[in-house]
Amino acid sequence: MDARTADFLLTCKGLTVFARPESFTRKTKSEKKTIPVLSCEGPCIRGEIARLAANLIAQEVPALARACHAETFFVPHSAMAAWVKGAEKSLMIDGCFLKCHGRVLKKLVGDDKVVHIDALPFYKKYTDVFLMDDVPEEERKAVARQAADKIIAKLKQDASLEPTVA
């Protein structure tokens, strides 16, 4: 007998660990935030700027909401993974030319459903720096702001996130 199920709930008495992702995905759908935004999450400065820029973009563009890359990639039956897989488009902001997360996302949802952006050309700095801690936090935030503004402008110009006509 196979008693496995694709979903589960773990309850810890007297302990609140974190908000359940299912409630987040329900909220994004009810707020018409239909386009997931994922980003590079690496320890290097380029990944950090991509992550910060993705946060700003998701906060400022009404149809967008951040998605958790780890849950999307590694918890295949989660509400987060279902939301990303079911979205008409996803926005992926990678930190450099390696496009690590973008390659994984394209394998998961299909190349045609990913608007893939390399953030580095939008700010053109730190090619000689690796660790994010080697750049002061305020500078990281300022550069992420600059990248986010340029990426938002490009998305609007290209109409990359407009619904496709069937």
Side-chain angles (χ1 to χ4, degrees), residues 69-100:
H69 81 278
E71 185 175 347
T72 300
F73 296 166
F74 304 119
V75 187
H77 300 293
S78 70
M80 185 75 64
W83 173 52
V84 174
K85 289 175 189 175
E88 188 173 318
K89 296 269 187 198
S90 290
L91 175 60
M92 179 68 228
I93 302 174
D94 260 316
C96 72
F97 66 93
L98 293 174
K99 299 180 180 176
C100 304

Side-chain angles (χ1 to χ4, degrees), residues 87-90 105-106 109-115 160 164:
E88 188 173 318
K89 296 269 187 198
S90 290
L105 183 61
K106 285 179 179 183
V109 302
D111 194 43
D112 58 322
K113 292 175 72 175
V114 179
V115 176
S160 301
T164 56

Side-chain angles (χ1 to χ4, degrees), residues 52-61 64 91 93 147-148 151-152 155:
L52 292 170
N55 289 343
L56 294 168
I57 292 165
Q59 290 167 0
E60 296 170 15
V61 178
L64 305 182
L91 175 60
I93 302 174
I151 291 168
I152 289 169
L155 292 170

Side-chain angles (χ1 to χ4, degrees), residues 21 29 41 55 97 139:
K29 288 177 185 177
E41 302 281 338
N55 289 343
F97 66 93
E139 185 177 338

